[in-house]
Amino acid sequence: MPEENRTQITEFFILGFPGLLPQYYSLVSALFFLIYVAILIGNGFIVVVIIIDKNLQKPTYLIFGNLAVADLAFSTITLPKIIARYWFGSQAIPFSACFLQMFFVHYLGSVNSFLLMIMAIDRYIAICNPLRYPTLLKNTNVFIMCAFSWGVTVFIVAISAIRAVTLPFCGPDVIVHCYCDHIGITRLACADIRSYSLVALINAIIVLLVPLFFIMFSYVQIILSIMRIASSEGRYKAFSTCSSQLCIIALYYLPRCFVYLANSVNISINTDFRIVLILTYSLVPPMINPLIYCFKTKEIKQNLVKRLRFKTAENRVRCIFSVNK
């Protein structure tokens, strides 16, 4: 392609749901706004509580905190633009901003994948090797593993992002999605993208299937260990700590793997359905993670009740002093 025809596009346009009628735009934007608020409140609460309460600065909660930070970042990168698209009709996004959003979308998704793997390892050691848990999973070890998750994925995702930004874009500029992602952007390139898609697929295998292998191994061992527990009450208690996490892991990985597989082998699926699948595994876990991972945890609930009781007692004391005055 001649040089003068390369990269003439200065901005992209976010289409969103192609089949959505305009009369539903306000409803959809309000829904995404409520989802964003729920994610901010739930995950923000987790981060703040873990920071201010030293009793919760333990391996499991440090993993929860990292996951909450990743969820907050992902929702902030994507949801404001989706809301603006349907609330204010703001479809345009600058060329560089779109690629920056694409990088963080895949980077934070990859970080989440590795954090879920660390969480599975944490549960595996806690249930299958409880006596060795204090020595194997110290705060220092968890910090190193989380730092590795945040660090190594930068380089993995950067490879695909850098290769994509060097593609020539000279024709269509409408991204059929609610935000910029690798598939949506590279489809608009005026070049053969098969080699680029292959590299992106290899990277996706690394950040998705490698952690998924360790997760599946961990939970298979956990289930086998639970089945060996003599009392039914003990089995129920052990399984209840893992069942909700298994649901989140399935919700995170199954639709994601299906979307990547469909794109790789050119399986034709309805565009709106594809977007719904992507938004499901992208936004539903961050919204319900606080409920599943922390608010169901005994220490978090005790901490919350303790602080509420302290606040109530403090207000009563203030009222008594004000009456006496």
Side-chain angles (χ1 to χ4, degrees):
M1 179 175 291
E3 185 68 27
E4 61 270 15
N5 290 333
R6 296 171 65 91
T7 318
Q8 294 182 354
I9 292 177
T10 59
E11 61 182 9
F12 293 100
F13 293 89
I14 304 295
L15 179 61
F17 295 96
L20 185 65
L21 299 176
Q23 56 262 38
Y24 297 112
Y25 283 7
S26 298
L27 180 63
V28 169
S29 60
L31 176 62
F32 281 124
F33 177 76
L34 292 176
I35 291 174
Y36 187 37
V37 170
I39 292 173
L40 290 180
I41 293 175
N43 291 281
F45 172 81
I46 292 173
V47 173
V48 171
V49 167
I50 292 174
I51 290 175
I52 65 177
D53 193 338
K54 293 185 178 180
N55 293 325
L56 294 178
Q57 293 176 7
K58 302 174 183 178
T60 300
Y61 296 105
L62 292 179
I63 301 171
F64 290 164
N66 276 270
L67 191 64
V69 170
D71 288 341
L72 283 170
F74 183 89
S75 60
T76 301
I77 287 293
T78 56
L79 280 172
K81 184 58 186 176
I82 301 174
I83 295 168
R85 158 69 185 98
Y86 287 109
W87 211 324
F88 306 110
S90 175
Q91 292 182 270
I93 181 171
F95 185 88
S96 57
C98 189
F99 276 92
L100 190 63
Q101 186 185 57
M102 179 198 75
F103 170 79
F104 279 108
V105 162
H106 293 286
Y107 169 58
L108 294 168
S110 302
V111 170
N112 259 310
S113 183
F114 278 89
L115 290 176
L116 289 174
M117 177 185 70
I118 297 172
M119 190 175 297
I121 294 173
D122 171 77
R123 291 298 86 202
Y124 165 71
I125 298 175
I127 294 176
C128 299
N129 298 281
L131 297 179
R132 300 183 63 189
Y133 184 89
T135 56
L136 292 177
L137 276 186
K138 299 178 180 179
N139 282 359
T140 304
N141 296 340
V142 170
F143 176 81
I144 292 172
M145 287 191 291
C146 290
F148 175 82
S149 300
W150 288 94
V152 71
T153 48
V154 170
F155 301 101
I156 296 174
V157 176
I159 294 173
S160 295
I162 293 172
R163 285 174 60 85
V165 79
T166 59
L167 285 167
F169 295 91
C170 54
D173 55 3
V174 177
I175 296 176
V176 187
H177 202 345
C178 288
Y179 52 75
C180 300
D181 70 336
H182 188 271
I183 295 175
I185 292 178
T186 53
R187 281 179 175 175
L188 301 179
C190 305
D192 186 355
I193 63 169
R194 282 176 293 183
S195 62
Y196 296 85
S197 299
L198 178 61
V199 172
L201 178 62
I202 294 172
N203 290 342
I205 290 173
I206 293 173
V207 301
L208 289 178
L209 297 188
V210 171
L212 183 60
F213 170 80
F214 285 99
I215 290 170
M216 291 177 64
F217 171 81
S218 298
Y219 279 102
V220 167
Q221 295 300 314
I222 288 171
I223 292 172
L224 293 176
S225 180
I226 290 174
M227 297 304 295
R228 289 194 291 266
I229 297 176
S231 66
S232 58
E233 182 180 352
R235 287 197 299 269
Y236 174 79
K237 184 177 179 181
F239 186 73
S240 64
T241 62
C242 301
S243 58
S244 55
Q245 295 182 13
L246 280 172
C247 292
I248 287 294
I249 289 169
L251 183 61
Y252 180 86
Y253 280 103
L254 293 181
R256 192 181 294 261
C257 290
F258 173 76
V259 170
Y260 276 101
L261 179 64
N263 181 69
S264 301
V265 299
N266 294 321
I267 297 176
S268 179
I269 56 176
N270 179 270
T271 303
D272 287 314
F273 177 68
R274 174 180 171 274
I275 295 174
V276 168
L277 276 180
I278 294 173
L279 293 179
T280 298
Y281 68 66
S282 299
L283 299 178
V284 174
M287 188 169 53
I288 62 179
N289 276 343
L291 296 174
I292 289 180
Y293 290 144
C294 286
F295 295 145
K296 286 184 66 176
T297 305
K298 187 177 180 180
E299 289 177 288
I300 288 282
K301 289 191 292 186
Q302 287 178 343
N303 178 277
L304 182 59
V305 171
K306 180 181 176 181
R307 291 183 179 278
L308 288 174
R309 286 177 178 174
F310 176 79
K311 193 68 176 177
T312 303
E314 186 181 24
N315 290 335
R316 287 177 180 176
V317 170
R318 287 179 179 176
C319 290
I320 292 172
F321 274 108
S322 62
V323 169
N324 291 336
K325 289 181 180 180

